[in-house]
Each structure stands twice: as C-alpha cells, then as structure tokens.
Amino acid sequence: MKNYVITSMLALVAMSGTAGTWTYSDCVEYAREHNISLQKSRLTEESSEYSLEESKAQWQPTLDFATSHSVSNYPWSEGTKNSYNSSYGLNAGWTVWNGGLRENSIKQSKLRTEINRLTTGDIMRTLETDLLQVYINILYAKESVRIYEEAAKVSLAQSERARQLMEAGKISKVDYAQLNAQYEQDHYALVNARSTYDSRRMELKQLLELGIDAEINLADVEWSAAQVLAELPPISESYQLAIDTDLRIKALEIEKSSSDLDVAIAKAGYMPKISLNAGVGTGYYAPGKSFGSAMKQGWNESLGLTLSIPILDNKKTKTAVAQARVAQLDAQLDINQRQSDIAQIVENWYIDTRSAQSRYSAAETQLESARLSDELTNERFNLGYVNTVELMTAHNAYVEAQHTLLQAKYMAMLGQKMVEFYRNATVTLP
C-alpha cells in the first residue's frame, strides 16, 4: 500500500509538470511501474503462461464436428437427373503415446515461463543500477555547479576589485583585463556545469519514462569522509555473492536444463506414436428414402487405433538431435561467460573504488593547501604584494582541488554502492 501511494504521488507530479523532490527509492518504484522495457518483459511473461496452458492441453483429446453437402446433375440420365448428398460426423482423437514429446514439452514450457520471470527481474536489476549511476552523477553534477558558482562569484569580486584599483592607478589595464578574463572563464565553466547537470537529469527522465515537461529534483545525499574511505569487503566473497544472487545466471542454468529437454524432444522423432480415434456419423441421399429414415439407417460408429513407426525421415530427427546437443554446449558456455563477466565487473569496481579512495585522501590534503594558498594570495594581492598571475594561479588551483576531491568522492561512493548491489542484489541510498 505504501508503494502504491508513493507511485501515485509521483505520477501526479510527473503529469502536472511541477517540481518534486525524488529519492533514489522513489525513482526505483516509479520505474518499476512505468519503464517500457520492464512492461514489455512482463507481457512476455504473460505470453509464456498461455504457452504453458497450451502445452498442458495436449493431454486432452481433440473433438470436431464435420458436415459436407453436394449436389450432382446428370443431364443425359434416363432416370433422375439431380441428386443431393450430405454427411454429418463427430470425430474425436487422442494421442496415447508420442515418445515423451508431450511430457517434455510441458516441462520445457514451465522452464520457459521461469526464464521469462527471471529475465524480468534481471531487467529490473539492470534498471536499478542504471538509475543508481545516473542518480549519483546528478548529485555530482549538482555539487559541481555549486563549486563553479562560488568560483565565478569570487572571480567576479576580484574583477570588480581590480577595476577599482585600475581606476585608482594602482594596477594596469592589463592586470584588470587578466582578472576579468578569469571571471569570464569561470562563468563559462559554470555554464558548462549547468548544462551537464541538465543533461544528467534528462537521462534520468528517460529511464523513468517521464514526459518532456516534467520537472525532477533529487534529494541530496550526504556522505562523511569516513563513509567515503570505508574498507571494502573481501573481493572473493563479493564475487561469490554476486554469482549466487545473479538472476541472469539462474536463467542461463534453467536454459541449459531446457536444452537438455530439447535433446529428449528431438529423440522423440525416433519413437513410435500411438493414437486413438473414434467417431459417429450419418448421411442422407436424395432422391431416396425420407430424411429421418435415411439418417437412421446411415448412422455409423467407428473406433480405431493407429500405430506409426518412423523408418526414414530424411535425417530430420538425427539433425534435430545434433542441433539440440550443440545448444546444450552453447548453454554451458553462456553460463561460463556470464561468470567471467561478473568476475571482471566486480574486480573493475574494486579497482575503481580503491583508486578513487586513494585520490580522495590525497585530494583532502591538496584542497586544504590550495585553500590556504588562495586565502593568503588574495590577502597579499589586496596589499599589492602579488601580481594578477599569482592570484589567478592560486584561484584556479583551489577550484581544481575542490573538483578533484568532489570527483573522487562520488566515484568512491558509486563504486561502494555497486559492490553493495552485486553482493545483496539491492542497494540503498540514505
């Protein structure tokens, strides 16, 4: 009920085009209901359920009613020149034995239904990781905008101060032009940062299938330095958990079981088939007896048993068995490939995360040094002890240090959250 309320509220926000604050959980729940790929996968699930019902129905007999009518004309006949003939029949058939084809087809339909269910779950998990990466990228872009806003604000103040000093004859026009150019550079960086932020939000709207007029603002997430530098769990443990919880591997394992059934189904072509047939019918011929009398005397009943033994089928069965065995081997290779892919993905996230944590530690020290240097250089510039080049260098170094720390922070947290996802098949943001 809670999820339904959240989803309904988010839908109203999206339709009205008004701004709302979305958490990561809100995004996941909304995508669960509205993502088109996920909806199409659910339709495939539903279709497989119908296919299973059809497979089970093969145990039932067939029954049909047939009637035929014909009129004949004999223009040079010495007797009756026209005649009418009709027949009516009710026919039933039931396959007694077909080499296990029916039983294995039902088993295979059940497996296919389960595969489609797992596929839907895997699409949802992929969607969660896509949302996570976009969400964190948006938070990163948002903070980048704040850094460049502050940088532009400072450089504008420096430019204004330089203009006053120039008018007072204390600095040259060249110095003023350099500081004004610094402001223009920071302003340009701010425009780019805002554009990146808007682009990332657009990516999120696409994942959520939101309309072009919808506004979306994300709830901020705060992480302490201790959280950023938190130690990762053992990589071998994470890999094993990723294997155990991966829905794609489970689907591939079921696919392999299905390929085993393909072999059994193909081998059914070598087996004899037994079918039972029964029917009742009657007919009428005119001119002749009365309709009722003709129908009564023409009444007949039949019961038959058919045995079909394959001898030669142009190697169709042999080829089908060989192809099914190839599919068996291919299914196992798919499982091996997926395990290898997961190992590479997990290892890459560990490498990226640890690298980001190392950069974060170094960037913290670098940022503090750049901040102090920038403050002292500003004070000395106001006293006339440093030139504009030194002032601009200190300013740019401070902005770059902030950006380096920010980038390392979000890369480290993204890596940690991706590792968490592969371990637990889910992820949470505070």
Side-chain angles (χ1 to χ4, degrees), residues 125 128-129 233 237-247 250 346 350 416-428:
R125 289 190 181 183
E128 286 185 62
T129 57
E237 180 183 280
S238 295
Y239 168 70
Q240 189 57 53
L241 287 172
I243 293 292
D244 294 341
T245 59
D246 187 67
L247 294 182
K250 292 180 180 179
V346 171
Y350 266 75
Q416 287 186 44
K417 290 302 176 181
M418 289 300 296
V419 169
E420 177 187 335
F421 178 85
Y422 279 104
R423 288 173 61 86
N424 306 320
T426 186
V427 67
T428 58

Side-chain angles (χ1 to χ4, degrees), residues 108-389:
Q108 194 173 56
S109 293
K110 289 180 179 179
L111 294 180
R112 180 57 54 189
T113 300
E114 180 64 14
I115 288 172
N116 289 330
R117 185 187 67 80
L118 291 171
T119 299
T120 300
D122 184 61
I123 291 174
M124 184 62 217
R125 289 190 181 183
T126 301
L127 185 58
E128 286 185 62
T129 57
D130 290 343
L131 287 170
L132 175 65
Q133 294 183 60
V134 173
Y135 195 99
I136 290 181
N137 281 336
I138 291 175
L139 296 179
Y140 166 68
K142 188 176 181 180
E143 284 204 46
S144 292
V145 170
R146 292 172 184 166
I147 289 174
Y148 288 117
E149 282 177 342
E150 184 62 27
K153 181 180 177 181
V154 170
S155 59
L156 177 60
Q158 290 174 342
S159 177
E160 286 297 317
R161 173 61 176 162
R163 183 181 60 80
Q164 294 171 2
L165 292 174
M166 180 192 68
E167 291 174 351
K170 295 184 178 181
I171 63 172
S172 66
K173 289 184 178 181
V174 174
D175 290 334
Y176 166 69
Q178 287 177 330
L179 289 177
N180 191 58
Q182 177 66 60
Y183 164 69
E184 296 297 339
Q185 178 182 329
D186 288 342
H187 181 70
Y188 180 76
L190 174 60
V191 171
N192 280 341
R194 286 173 175 167
S195 177
T196 301
Y197 176 58
D198 290 337
S199 296
R200 296 292 176 265
R201 290 200 302 169
M202 182 189 67
E203 291 175 11
L204 181 59
K205 286 166 62 176
Q206 289 175 338
L207 286 174
L208 297 176
E209 309 294 350
L210 289 172
I212 192 171
D213 295 328
E215 286 293 331
I216 181 167
N217 294 307
L218 303 187
D220 291 329
V221 180
E222 296 294 333
W223 287 299
S224 65
Q227 288 175 299
V228 175
L229 299 173
E231 185 177 354
L232 293 173
I235 188 172
S236 58
E237 180 183 280
S238 295
Y239 168 70
Q240 189 57 53
L241 287 172
I243 293 292
D244 294 341
T245 59
D246 187 67
L247 294 182
R248 198 173 306 178
I249 286 182
K250 292 180 180 179
L252 289 173
E253 288 173 344
I254 296 176
E255 192 75 54
K256 184 175 182 299
S257 299
S258 178
S259 67
D260 295 340
L261 290 174
D262 281 334
V263 175
I265 289 172
K267 285 183 176 179
Y270 292 126
M271 307 297 288
K273 298 175 178 59
I274 303 174
S275 59
L276 183 66
N277 303 285
V280 294
T282 186
Y284 171 72
Y285 178 80
K289 299 179 181 180
S290 66
F291 181 80
S293 178
M295 294 287 283
K296 181 178 179 180
Q297 292 185 13
W299 181 265
N300 63 86
E301 300 167 346
S302 65
L303 179 65
L305 187 67
T306 301
L307 173 63
S308 174
I309 301 176
I311 298 176
L312 294 174
D313 64 350
N314 304 110
K315 291 188 175 181
K316 291 181 180 179
T317 301
K318 183 178 180 180
T319 302
V321 172
Q323 290 176 334
R325 292 195 185 281
V326 170
Q328 261 185 325
L329 298 174
D330 188 59
Q332 182 59 55
L333 290 175
D334 286 340
I335 294 173
N336 296 342
Q337 182 64 58
R338 179 58 180 170
Q339 291 174 338
S340 177
D341 290 344
I342 289 179
Q344 184 177 0
I345 290 170
V346 171
E347 186 173 8
N348 283 340
W349 280 117
Y350 266 75
I351 292 172
D352 291 346
T353 303
R354 286 168 176 163
S355 175
Q357 288 176 327
S358 297
R359 293 198 306 272
Y360 182 85
S361 297
E364 280 188 307
T365 304
Q366 181 186 17
L367 176 62
E368 182 61 21
S369 298
R371 184 186 65 79
L372 291 173
S373 176
D374 185 57
E375 287 180 359
L376 292 173
T377 303
N378 268 282
E379 292 177 3
R380 296 184 66 195
F381 175 77
N382 291 331
L383 296 173
Y385 294 147
V386 297
N387 58 34
T388 54
V389 175

Side-chain angles (χ1 to χ4, degrees), residues 11-158:
L12 289 174
V13 169
M15 289 186 292
S16 64
T18 58
T21 300
W22 296 56
T23 64
Y24 172 71
S25 297
D26 292 338
C27 293
V28 170
E29 291 305 318
Y30 188 89
R32 194 187 305 276
E33 298 298 326
H34 296 84
N35 183 263
I36 292 177
S37 297
L38 203 57
Q39 292 182 62
K40 289 174 70 68
S41 183
R42 290 192 184 113
L43 290 178
T44 302
E45 272 191 79
E46 186 176 350
S47 178
S48 66
E49 292 285 351
Y50 293 132
S51 297
L52 177 58
E53 289 181 15
E54 182 183 8
S55 297
K56 291 179 177 179
Q58 299 307 305
W59 279 103
Q60 301 173 8
T62 60
L63 179 65
D64 65 82
F65 171 76
T67 180
S68 64
H69 304 265
S70 63
V71 177
S72 301
N73 180 41
Y74 306 91
W76 290 285
S77 173
E78 295 181 358
T80 302
K81 296 182 180 297
N82 299 299
S83 67
Y84 167 75
N85 187 43
S86 65
S87 65
Y88 309 87
L90 197 62
N91 304 295
W94 183 58
T95 300
V96 180
W97 170 252
N98 61 355
L101 176 63
R102 183 169 43 196
E103 296 89 335
N104 289 324
S105 294
I106 293 174
K107 292 177 182 177
Q108 194 173 56
S109 293
K110 289 180 179 179
L111 294 180
R112 180 57 54 189
T113 300
E114 180 64 14
I115 288 172
N116 289 330
R117 185 187 67 80
L118 291 171
T119 299
T120 300
D122 184 61
I123 291 174
M124 184 62 217
R125 289 190 181 183
T126 301
L127 185 58
E128 286 185 62
T129 57
D130 290 343
L131 287 170
L132 175 65
Q133 294 183 60
V134 173
Y135 195 99
I136 290 181
N137 281 336
I138 291 175
L139 296 179
Y140 166 68
K142 188 176 181 180
E143 284 204 46
S144 292
V145 170
R146 292 172 184 166
I147 289 174
Y148 288 117
E149 282 177 342
E150 184 62 27
K153 181 180 177 181
V154 170
S155 59
L156 177 60
Q158 290 174 342

